[in-house]
Structure formats: structure tokens, C-alpha cells
Amino acid sequence: MTEQTGVLTHFDAQGNAHMVNVGEKAHTRRVAVAAGTISMKPETFDLIASGRAKKGDVIAVARVAAIMASKRTSELIPLCHPIALTRVAVDFELLREQSAVRCTATCETVGQTGVEMEALTAVQVGLLTVYDMCKAVDRFMRIDGVRLLEKAGGKSGHWIAPDEKNP
């Protein structure tokens, strides 16, 4: 695995922001996995877990929102390339002891640039949707730990977050 450090690729030699030229890169299968959590009061967690939230099935709505957001990443993040995603999977884990919900998104494509931003965007929007659907009963919810867990494909190869190798 090789990793470029200390180089900001979205700036040219004069320091101007630009969209990175990926035209010469090889088309490869690219995968990214991101995750994050939203913590809440136990009562709020129970509403979600039981499916009794006033606005409906929080997890189902959040999953659709996350998938939709992944497909619109280039519209939200100014220098991201539009990407033809070949797969987006969004999973939610109910963490009863922590009164939290963990969202994990996996995005895939075959192309010339990675899908890390799509996975990260999916997680953020999925968690924000949980917040939106439950804010009437709990404005103290907190979104934490959104980060890239794994990426594969391209010249930098396969990368796994150090603390995810042996969870």
C-alpha cells in the first residue's frame, strides 16, 4: 500500500482550487466504507427501536435518505467528481447499551476516482435524518465519529483504518 501524505490535490501550483484531473487514471473497482453514530436519550432510542416514532420508521427513512445522498455527493461537495455508483449499502445497528444508532455505508463503483466522499456523505445524511425525525422528542442527540473505515481500489490500494483491523 502506498499513501500520499502532505499533498493537497485540490489545489494547483498557484494555490487555486481545482477539480483533480482523473482522465489518465485506470478504471478499477473502488470501494469505500464509512461509519458514524448518533447518541440519544434512552427514551428516544426506544421509540426508534420499537418503530413508534411519530414520523414513522426512522431507520427505513434514514436508509433511503443515505442512499439518495450518496448519489448526489458531487452536487454537495464542490470539487467532487460525479460518479456512477454501482452499489450503495447502508446498514444501521441499534446499540441499546449506549442508546445510540450506528450507520455504516458501503459505496462501490468501477471508475477513475474513489468513493470515499460518497460513503461519508451517506453516513452523515443518514444520521441527520435520524436526528430530523426524532428532534421533537430529543434535541440533545449527538452525531459522533463519522469517518472512513476502509477503501480499496486505485493506485493507493487497500486501506483499513488502524483501529478497525482488529475490532
Side-chain angles (χ1 to χ4, degrees), residues 74-130:
S74 67
E75 295 173 35
L76 301 168
I77 311 296
L79 300 177
C80 282
H81 291 82
I83 293 178
L85 293 166
T86 56
R87 177 176 174 259
V88 178
V90 179
D91 297 308
F92 288 88
E93 181 181 0
L94 300 176
L95 306 171
R96 184 169 296 281
E97 289 189 19
Q98 295 100 326
S99 292
V101 176
R102 178 178 167 99
C103 176
T104 304
T106 303
C107 293
E108 295 184 30
T109 192
V110 175
Q112 295 169 294
T113 190
V115 289
E116 299 94 274
M117 295 306 298
E118 288 70 15
L120 288 162
T121 299
V123 169
Q124 289 281 23
V125 171
L127 296 174
L128 285 168
T129 301
V130 171

Side-chain angles (χ1 to χ4, degrees), residues 9 15 40 49 59 81 167:
T9 58
M40 60 202 66
I59 299 302
H81 291 82

